[in-house]
Amino acid sequence: MCSMNDISSPQARQARLARIGQLAAAIGHEVQQPLAGIALNAEAALRWLDRPQADVAQAKAALVVIVEAAARANEAVRSMRRLAQQNGPGNDICWLDAMLAEVTVPLRERLAGQGIVLSAHFASGACAVRADRVQLRQVLHNLTINAIDALGGVDGRARTLQVSARPQRQAGGGARVLVTVSDSGKGLPRQAPESVFEPLVTNKAGGMGMGLAICRAIIEAHGGVLRARPGDPHGSVFEFTVPAGPAVSLDAASEVSAHPPRHAYARHG
């Protein structure tokens, strides 16, 4: 813990202000989508109620979405505070296939509208990992959104988004799972692909440049690594490692499809 003298020093104040600024930017980034969902569904609920014959069922459905979005925003704020305070992530058992479905179901209209084929492959026994559930969901969500954005301007080739997971042996013992998110989109700069992780660096109009920096901080807090490289011949590949759950076998070699919503994924035998 810092003493009063430490806090009052110019260097300590500057460091603390920088940390507060990064936390504020991170929170702003993570709550942006839930807040947009709240506003959109609130307007929809009002429209359903303003009809000559109010449709209470539809208004109620919109209100349920609002409650869920508010809960996600609250979770995101708490998650970013834990990350900034370096208290260590949670140790939940998370199922990657279920979490991917949770992330992508709200995006199904956007995926269909852009003609994106989403597929998932999880090696036998590699679905379970140990991680902070909220933080891992944030990583998958940010990487998925980035891939969808990168696919937006692609013409002349298939628009694909693939998520896979497989066990990974650790030199010092202990099992981990390697998760890969790849797309056939615009791709990364071949000279310096790792530059995308720098805070406040973005090529998106209106972007904050915090999403990938947050993802890397989350994965590193779990003792893992998050890397990026250009795809071959197109697109981007993001890979990260997280501690394996109790069901992972390091000898697993067979590939099985996850159990995603049928409208969201292409199945592979």
Side-chain angles (χ1 to χ4, degrees), residues 6-25:
D6 291 334
I7 294 173
S8 62
S9 72
Q11 294 87 350
R13 284 200 302 272
Q14 288 294 332
R16 190 171 185 183
L17 286 172
R19 190 171 177 182
I20 290 171
Q22 288 183 347
L23 175 60

Side-chain angles (χ1 to χ4, degrees), residues 122-218:
F122 296 98
S124 179
C127 280
V129 299
R130 287 192 178 275
D132 185 296
R133 183 184 63 81
V134 175
Q135 292 183 359
L136 182 58
R137 185 188 181 280
Q138 286 174 276
V139 171
L140 281 175
H141 182 267
N142 281 331
L143 294 180
T144 300
I145 289 292
N146 283 352
I148 293 173
D149 289 342
L151 288 162
V154 169
D155 291 311
R157 62 177 181 268
R159 298 181 179 185
T160 60
L161 170 54
Q162 298 180 334
V163 181
S164 63
R166 61 181 175 83
Q168 185 181 62
R169 295 181 182 274
Q170 291 289 101
R176 300 189 76 82
V177 169
L178 175 68
V179 181
T180 304
V181 180
S182 59
D183 63 71
S184 61
K186 300 172 185 176
L188 297 171
R190 293 194 174 271
Q191 298 302 318
E194 294 285 302
S195 64
V196 297
F197 294 110
E198 295 177 12
L200 307 179
V201 173
T202 182
N203 57 8
K204 295 182 184 179
M208 298 181 67
M210 290 299 298
L212 289 174
I214 292 169
C215 289
R216 173 166 273 184
I218 288 173

